[in-house]
Amino acid sequence: MIETKDLHKDYRIGKVLFPALRGINIKIAEGEFTAIAGPSGSGKTTLLNIIGCLDTPTKGDVAINGRLISALNAREKADLRKNEIGFIFQTFNLIPVLTAFENVELPLLLLDKDAGRRRERVVSILDEVGLGDFVNRRPNEMSGGQQQRVAIARALVKQPSMVLADEPTANLDSTTAREILSLMQVLNDKHKATFIFSTHDQLVMEFARRVIRLRDGKVAADESK
Amino acid sequence: MKILNLAWRNVFRHTRRTIITAAAISVGLASMIMMNTMMNGMDKMASRNIIDYETSHLEVFARGYYREEGFFPLDTIVEDPLSLTEEIKQIRGVSGVAPRVKFHASITNGIDELPVLGVGIDIEEERKVFDTPEAVVEGRYLEQNGDVLIGAGLARDMDLEVGSFLTMITRDRNGTYNALDLAVAGIINSGHPLFDRNAAVIAIEEAQELLAMEGAVTELSIRARNENDLAPLKRELSAVIGEEHELYTWKELSASVFEISGFKRAAQFMIALVVVIISAVGIVNTMLMAVMERIPEIGTLKAMGFRKSGIMKMFLYEGGIIGIFGSLLGCAVGILVSLYLVYVGFDMSGMFEDMDIGYPIRMVIKGEIDPRMVFYVFLFGVLVSVAVTLWPVRKATKLEPVDALRHV
Amino acid sequence: MQIFKLAYRNFFRNTRRSIISGISVALAITVIIFAQSYIKGIFANMAENVTKLISGHIRITTSEYERRERMLPLSESIELTPEFYASLPEDNIELTSARIKFGVILGEEELSVPAIGYAIDPETERNIAGLHQRLVKGSYIESGDRAAIVGKGLAERMNITVGDTLTIITRTAYDSPAGMNLLVNGIFSVGIGDIDRSIFYIPLDIGQELLDLEGRASEVALLISEPGQAVEIARAIELGPEYSVVPFQQNMLLQYMNVANTIYGIMYLIILLVACSAIANTMLMIVFERTKEIGMMKALGMGNMAIVGLFTIEAGIIGIVGSAAGAVSGSLLSYWLKYQGIDMSMLSATASADIPYGPIIYLAPTPLIVLTGFLLGLFMTIVVALLPIRRITKIDPAKALKTI
């Protein structure tokens, strides 16, 4: 359960103040498959970053499973990210010197000391995303779609309670994007993790069960299917 | 372990950069080792010369005799050397005792006169304590009264050769002038400048007569069985020699020599340190580049929940790995050059000719590798590399994850 | 011009990196300027000690004396005739000082200490050796006094002080024994171990009397107005083959300093190379980073040389900034120590008269040293930077534009 309370965020660029979020109040229940939509500059990424404890609000607060993030220090935030949150980025952000297997294993290193158990988990999740044969490839030896599958596996491997995806399909062609989205939907059903996307892609909204539209830092619409 | 693995691979993202950085560190470290080898060699040579020709391991004087190096008073002497020698010989750690009489004298070949260091030696006992007999390069060792051994430099300066006659002039302990006619029996080339340039060695009986010493000597030189640990022997000897005598180790007697060497070491170390510091700036630069180009990666790791310490560790490992490479290379090059110095040596004769450089060594210096020093230099290289990495890495870990991710 | 502007802006694209690369060059140049000033300083210091205390700017002896100098053969002395003085060129020479150097054994009864005596003209030597300024006790000597000033270390050895009598026993030029009692007028210290420990000075006329050398001297030291011309002036003095005329630059010391200079030169080069490795790395990175940009420039029709020029200028800016910073800090340090001096008395207390350095070394930086340091830094930077920059010519624009 994620709840935002009157969330504000201002960015200062030079002397000018840009309000990115201007009072966001939303609730997202466990297991939801939600898209946050809106044109660029509407505050989607900022909202995701704040929910993911990567950024701090100027005003307001977020409650994640009842815990207010304003009460957490840097270390507790890191722990929260480590245990509860998986991230997927527009530019995939895989570590180039690591293989697909090692990239997926990375977040598990912080959670599970047992190498055998880790291996099992990594192999099974890579199978799930359809990359069973690519475990030893480096990022630069894979297509964009394959890299994003690795990123999804990396986000899900630790079985987080929520997955935050910032424009996950923006760097992919539409066929690949469709594949990725249906994969995420399947995984959402299976793992029961909350999925939140930011997107301005119509395609994503077709897949989402709930679409929250932002405009100029405010919620313009909130529709569920 | 995994972080180390990651760091290892990151180091080889830019092989050329790593090589250049590591090579830069290695230059400073190699020169540290090389200079150390050189100085060790010089010290060892100086020590050997002092022990084998000048003082042996320990020397007993009459109390108050030893005031400074190169000063040989005849007013404070060992009056009864024979019984003292017997007592000292009883001690197990002593392998030999040789009496000597050292005095200022002049020698003249009839035309020129030159001040020399006169040394009266016991022809037989000398063999057990000093290498003087082995240093005779022309002619023979002392055999009888009337024989004199002179240093090669002295022989050259005064146009003397084996068989030449000379007169030794000195004042005895009462201040009366005495002269002694001698024939050159042999020429010494020991490598110790004091001997090779200045010494005239005669039989101790003749020296005693020349100086009116009546059986007294200026010193008893003692050779130890174990030269590495003289402290216990010194304690034992102190108990034997009595109040009227004093006892010094060769190191105490040549303190100024090693003081000079200490200064030289410090100066050379400073030079090498400067090179290491400059190369350390190179590491800072390299690590800073590594951090800057990987800021989005740092953001990703933070988003996964990696803490500052984990990320810091990764970069420190990277600095350490570059440091280890540089240090290995530096030590390897340092050892190679040192081996050359050990086996071939460094010829300084062209540099100094006849000059007194204030250091008792031969002109071809052979190095001496100190493995401990090589190890310390290695450690130093790695530590410096890791230490200077801290600064750029702190920059990286301080970034907010969101800023790090946004940075392209 | 446009290319300079672009290079200048590129320098600030990653200011920190540029500055750090510059710092290593700056450090190296600082060290080099310092080291050169130090060497020049110690050389000047030794030259001063040599000219003041040992040989003057030019030393004249008989050739035979020089050959057997170690024996101090008084029989090979110079007769100080008017003809001798007339053969010295009048201009250039400021002072002419006749000296007798003789070996003695000092002391009485059981204490005998070999020492070197100098018989000097006390008035003339005020302006050469300047010993009246180096007295730590007592007063200077006057012509006609049966008196001496004694080195501090020697006085300590002999256990004598001002007012005591110094008995010297030696041999005359005709090899007959001679002795004299002298009053110790003063104790001097020049801070050079060997000299303080073994030398005493007496008036020239007394020395001539003692050693049977009326109207003669063992050596004549000349002080000239232009020390730099000592070699030429020495060559111009025509005294015939029985005399040896040696300018101080031919002192053995100088030969040694030349060897030392070569070794230091190699050292400078190593330090610079290490420093420049940072620049090489930076340029390597810059070329990598801007592969795409380079591809674009090529696509826009910029020639290889122009692009290489652009990057070289950027490296040059780093070199200029680093070398300038190094020149500034190097000269600050060196000029400060030029006035402050480095106290070496601890070391020089053990110095031999063959290498008479100390007691205080004043660094001798010159604008030339600073300028060479700066240019050397700049030059090496550009040379080293060219290695990675060369790769630019191999970049294929089509491929470069595709890389991310």
Side-chain angles (χ1 to χ4, degrees):
Chain A
M1 172 80 164
I2 297 153
E3 188 175 1
T4 69
K5 295 167 185 168
D6 191 26
L7 215 51
H8 282 77
K9 178 72 181 179
D10 300 329
Y11 285 113
R12 191 176 287 279
I13 298 172
K15 281 180 183 170
V16 192
L17 209 62
F18 284 100
L21 299 179
R22 299 194 290 186
I24 305 276
N25 287 293
I26 51 171
K27 279 183 191 173
I28 298 170
E30 221 158 289
E32 274 194 48
F33 199 70
T34 304
I36 296 173
S40 65
S42 61
K44 308 182 300 281
T45 303
T46 307
L47 180 59
L48 273 191
N49 282 343
I50 292 176
I51 293 173
C53 295
L54 292 173
D55 207 348
T56 44
T58 316
K59 198 181 141 199
D61 211 338
V62 180
I64 296 172
N65 299 330
R67 293 171 80 193
L68 289 177
I69 61 165
S70 62
L72 304 177
N73 63 25
R75 173 173 285 223
E76 287 164 335
K77 281 182 186 166
D79 282 344
L80 186 71
R81 290 198 296 268
K82 179 174 80 181
N83 296 314
E84 306 285 345
I85 307 171
F87 284 95
I88 298 166
F89 303 99
Q90 177 182 347
T91 48
F92 324 138
N93 286 13
L94 299 179
I95 307 292
V97 293
L98 299 181
T99 62
F101 179 90
E102 287 163 333
N103 263 295
V104 177
E105 192 189 16
L106 206 54
L108 275 188
L109 288 176
L110 298 169
L111 295 167
D112 193 344
K113 293 253 178 290
D114 186 311
R117 258 199 320 265
R118 280 204 307 261
R119 163 158 277 279
E120 230 168 80
R121 294 261 293 274
V122 173
V123 169
S124 89
I125 196 85
L126 277 171
D127 270 339
E128 273 185 64
V129 300
L131 289 177
D133 298 335
F134 291 80
V135 282
N136 288 324
R137 294 263 182 110
R138 295 266 179 113
N140 61 1
E141 297 161 339
M142 289 187 280
S143 70
Q146 286 166 337
Q147 287 189 49
Q148 196 60 303
R149 280 166 194 264
V150 175
I152 292 168
R154 184 175 67 180
L156 279 168
V157 72
K158 61 189 177 189
Q159 296 172 324
S161 63
M162 65 169 140
V163 174
L164 303 176
D166 187 11
E167 304 265 12
T169 56
N171 278 16
L172 301 172
D173 64 73
S174 61
T175 323
T176 315
R178 200 175 288 276
E179 281 168 25
I180 292 286
L181 285 166
S182 52
L183 172 66
M184 293 211 288
Q185 210 167 39
V186 169
L187 293 170
N188 170 250
D189 285 339
K190 192 175 162 203
H191 289 275
K192 303 292 173 218
T194 314
F195 271 66
I196 308 172
F197 312 85
S198 73
T199 187
H200 61 268
D201 188 342
Q202 203 53 45
L203 194 63
V204 179
M205 287 176 254
E206 282 173 26
F207 280 85
R209 289 165 198 144
R210 176 180 171 192
V211 177
I212 299 169
R213 289 180 194 280
L214 297 188
R215 187 174 298 271
D216 296 331
K218 283 182 173 164
V219 177
D222 186 347
E223 28 195 79
S224 301
K225 288 174 190 166
Chain B
M1 220 42 227
K2 274 284 170 176
I3 288 190
L4 185 60
N5 187 337
L6 186 55
W8 175 266
R9 291 189 205 173
N10 280 330
V11 166
F12 291 101
R13 271 185 184 184
H14 297 286
T15 320
R16 194 185 306 237
R17 184 168 78 188
T18 302
I19 291 173
I20 293 176
T21 314
I25 313 164
S26 73
V27 172
L29 299 180
S31 43
M32 274 186 176
I33 292 177
M34 206 183 76
M35 286 170 179
N36 181 263
T37 301
M38 194 77 185
M39 288 308 296
N40 286 342
M42 285 173 78
D43 278 359
K44 190 183 177 193
M45 240 173 194
S47 306
R48 281 268 59 98
N49 282 339
I50 289 167
I51 293 171
D52 294 340
Y53 301 105
E54 195 178 338
T55 65
S56 197
H57 294 127
L58 293 139
E59 281 198 308
V60 175
F61 308 111
R63 184 159 297 278
Y65 174 87
Y66 183 71
R67 287 161 228 178
E68 66 175 294
E69 279 164 67
F71 188 57
F72 309 108
L74 292 179
D75 56 350
T76 329
I77 52 180
V78 180
E79 297 287 354
D80 184 13
L82 292 177
S83 62
L84 187 58
T85 304
E86 281 316 305
E87 279 187 68
I88 292 170
K89 275 185 176 166
Q90 301 304 314
I91 293 171
R92 231 161 25 91
V94 172
S95 77
V97 184
R100 275 183 168 186
V101 175
K102 283 188 186 150
F103 56 100
H104 289 298
S106 300
I107 58 172
T108 166
N109 55 5
I111 308 161
D112 294 314
E113 190 178 324
L114 208 58
V116 294
L117 169 66
V119 185
I121 61 167
D122 184 306
I123 295 175
E124 284 316 308
E125 298 300 323
E126 180 86 358
R127 293 179 192 279
K128 298 174 189 160
V129 177
F130 291 105
D131 285 353
T132 318
E134 284 76 44
V136 177
V137 290
E138 262 179 75
R140 55 168 172 78
Y141 182 57
L142 295 181
E143 280 177 7
Q144 63 209 38
N145 284 1
D147 282 354
V148 63
L149 302 176
I150 57 169
L154 193 59
R156 193 192 54 209
D157 286 346
M158 293 198 67
D159 290 328
L160 294 169
E161 47 195 49
V162 174
S164 300
F165 291 97
L166 57 84
T167 305
M168 179 181 274
I169 302 158
T170 186
R171 291 159 77 184
D172 66 24
R173 62 193 291 211
N174 306 313
T176 313
Y177 274 91
N178 270 328
L180 182 65
D181 287 325
L182 298 161
V184 177
I187 290 173
I188 306 173
N189 194 358
S190 64
H192 191 324
L194 178 75
F195 270 67
D196 299 347
R197 296 180 76 212
N198 279 323
V201 181
I202 59 175
I204 196 164
E205 297 80 11
E206 273 195 304
Q208 286 167 331
E209 200 182 322
L210 183 68
L211 300 163
M213 301 268 284
E214 293 158 10
V217 301
T218 57
E219 62 218 72
L220 291 175
S221 304
I222 300 162
R223 194 155 196 104
R225 284 188 204 281
N226 174 13
E227 69 175 4
N228 297 320
D229 189 11
L230 296 174
L233 184 58
K234 191 184 174 189
R235 270 197 302 278
E236 229 175 312
L237 279 165
S238 304
V240 170
I241 59 169
E243 268 305 300
E244 68 274 29
H245 297 110
E246 58 186 14
L247 177 69
Y248 293 101
T249 64
W250 64 275
K251 267 204 169 138
E252 290 161 346
L253 293 170
S254 47
S256 77
V257 166
F258 294 102
E259 199 176 311
I260 296 177
S261 124
F263 276 116
K264 285 186 182 159
R265 271 174 197 269
Q268 299 192 340
F269 188 78
M270 289 299 286
I271 295 171
L273 194 65
V274 166
V275 181
V276 172
I277 289 173
I278 293 173
S279 60
V281 175
I283 304 176
V284 171
N285 194 16
T286 299
M287 288 313 295
L288 196 68
M289 285 187 222
V291 169
M292 294 311 257
E293 71 194 8
R294 298 221 302 270
I295 283 179
E297 238 175 276
I298 297 169
T300 310
L301 290 174
K302 283 201 162 182
M304 273 183 218
F306 272 82
R307 291 202 191 129
K308 268 185 194 175
S309 59
I311 293 164
M312 211 146 163
K313 222 188 266 173
M314 177 179 75
F315 281 105
L316 289 182
Y317 281 147
E318 284 178 36
I321 291 168
I322 296 178
I324 288 172
F325 274 119
S327 303
L328 277 177
L329 185 64
C331 288
V333 173
I335 289 171
L336 277 179
V337 178
S338 295
L339 285 176
Y340 175 85
L341 290 173
V342 169
Y343 290 107
V344 182
F346 181 67
D347 191 350
M348 307 238 290
S349 50
M351 207 149 130
F352 294 112
E353 289 173 30
D354 274 348
M355 260 197 285
D356 174 5
I357 57 167
Y359 212 68
I361 50 166
R362 206 189 286 269
M363 283 306 158
V364 177
I365 294 169
K366 294 217 168 176
E368 167 97 357
I369 299 179
D370 178 358
R372 253 185 335 180
M373 181 67 184
V374 175
F375 176 71
Y376 288 143
V377 165
F378 177 80
L379 220 58
F380 177 73
V382 178
L383 284 180
V384 167
S385 314
V386 174
V388 298
T389 305
L390 275 170
W391 178 69
V393 170
R394 275 171 52 87
K395 294 255 161 221
T397 52
K398 269 188 184 158
L399 281 169
E400 283 296 317
V402 60
D403 295 326
L405 279 169
R406 202 180 298 133
H407 187 108
V408 183
Chain C
M1 218 45 239
Q2 210 55 36
I3 206 167
F4 275 98
K5 208 158 148 194
L6 189 53
Y8 177 75
R9 293 208 183 143
N10 279 338
F11 175 83
F12 289 103
R13 271 165 78 157
N14 198 329
T15 319
R16 196 182 343 220
R17 181 170 68 192
S18 307
I19 285 176
I20 289 185
S21 320
I23 284 177
S24 31
V25 177
L27 268 175
I29 300 304
T30 306
V31 170
I32 290 171
I33 289 175
F34 171 82
Q36 282 200 294
S37 307
Y38 174 77
I39 304 236
K40 213 171 153 69
I42 202 165
F43 185 78
N45 169 274
M46 288 202 263
E48 188 189 330
N49 285 330
V50 166
T51 52
K52 275 191 162 176
L53 299 165
I54 296 170
S55 69
H57 288 135
I58 296 174
R59 193 187 75 157
I60 305 172
T61 60
T62 63
S63 311
E64 187 59 20
Y65 181 89
E66 191 191 30
R67 196 179 72 77
R68 293 192 290 139
E69 185 164 357
R70 202 183 150 194
M71 268 69 80
L72 305 176
L74 294 179
S75 52
E76 311 301 334
S77 58
I78 300 170
E79 190 169 9
L80 303 169
T81 57
E83 293 79 57
F84 172 81
Y85 285 114
S87 64
L88 305 177
E90 269 181 28
D91 33 335
N92 297 323
I93 296 179
E94 289 197 330
L95 285 170
T96 307
S97 181
R99 297 166 169 175
I100 306 172
K101 188 180 178 189
F102 57 103
V104 298
I105 291 190
L106 293 175
E108 41 214 277
E109 295 179 4
E110 67 274 4
L111 208 68
S112 62
V113 177
I116 304 279
Y118 267 102
I120 54 162
D121 179 54
E123 282 317 303
T124 314
E125 291 285 345
R126 273 179 193 268
N127 297 316
I128 304 180
L131 288 160
H132 59 294
Q133 291 165 341
R134 311 275 190 118
L135 293 174
V136 291
K137 224 179 194 180
S139 56
Y140 195 53
I141 41 175
E142 304 280 343
S143 286
D145 288 353
R146 284 182 179 254
I149 53 172
V150 181
K152 190 162 164 267
L154 184 60
E156 278 163 12
R157 274 183 164 195
M158 299 286 304
N159 199 16
I160 52 172
T161 185
V162 175
D164 289 349
T165 301
L166 183 71
T167 304
I168 57 174
I169 292 171
T170 181
R171 281 165 182 276
T172 68
Y174 302 102
D175 211 23
S176 45
M180 190 182 269
N181 282 328
L182 298 161
L183 183 71
V184 177
N185 252 13
I187 310 278
F188 70 87
S189 168
V190 294
I192 296 161
D194 233 18
I195 292 178
D196 287 344
R197 247 197 322 272
S198 62
I199 289 181
F200 67 93
Y201 291 87
I202 61 174
L204 181 63
D205 46 358
I206 302 298
Q208 288 171 328
E209 183 193 326
L210 171 72
L211 301 162
D212 249 336
L213 280 171
E214 304 296 338
R216 289 174 165 269
S218 62
E219 57 187 75
V220 174
L222 307 180
L223 214 61
I224 57 180
S225 43
E226 291 294 331
Q229 288 169 17
V231 178
E232 290 77 27
I233 293 172
R235 202 176 295 137
I237 296 174
E238 284 174 12
L239 280 166
E242 62 268 35
Y243 288 95
S244 160
V245 183
V246 180
F248 73 99
Q249 288 94 333
Q250 278 170 23
N251 186 295
M252 214 150 48
L253 200 62
L254 197 97
Q255 328 285 325
Y256 158 73
M257 290 306 283
N258 281 340
V259 179
N261 266 338
T262 320
I263 293 176
Y264 283 115
I266 294 169
M267 208 184 73
Y268 301 151
L269 213 65
I270 291 175
I271 290 179
L272 255 184
L273 270 178
V274 169
C276 286
S277 71
I279 302 231
N281 258 340
T282 301
M283 292 317 292
L284 198 64
M285 274 305 96
I286 288 175
V287 172
F288 264 124
E289 259 172 30
R290 304 204 199 132
T291 304
K292 203 170 181 178
E293 226 173 288
I294 295 165
M296 188 203 65
M297 288 175 184
K298 286 195 178 180
L300 289 176
M302 231 168 134
N304 265 333
M305 277 347 281
I307 304 175
V308 166
L310 174 69
F311 280 78
T312 310
I313 291 167
E314 191 173 340
I317 294 175
I318 299 179
I320 288 174
V321 171
S323 302
V328 169
S329 66
S331 24
L332 281 179
L333 182 67
S334 304
Y335 277 99
W336 179 62
L337 286 170
K338 178 181 176 180
Y339 297 104
Q340 199 67 26
I342 303 173
D343 190 349
M344 304 267 281
S345 49
M346 285 270 285
L347 256 183
S348 68
T350 58
S352 83
D354 281 342
I355 309 179
Y357 62 92
I360 294 172
I361 308 283
Y362 296 96
L363 263 63
T366 61
L368 185 68
I369 288 179
V370 177
L371 187 70
T372 356
F374 172 79
L375 291 177
L376 194 66
L378 182 56
F379 175 73
M380 283 295 283
T381 306
I382 291 174
V383 168
V384 171
L386 275 173
L387 297 174
I389 290 176
R390 269 185 333 173
R391 313 169 109 245
I392 289 173
T393 55
K394 291 180 197 136
I395 290 173
D396 173 5
K399 272 189 200 156
L401 283 168
K402 248 187 252 164
T403 57
I404 305 168

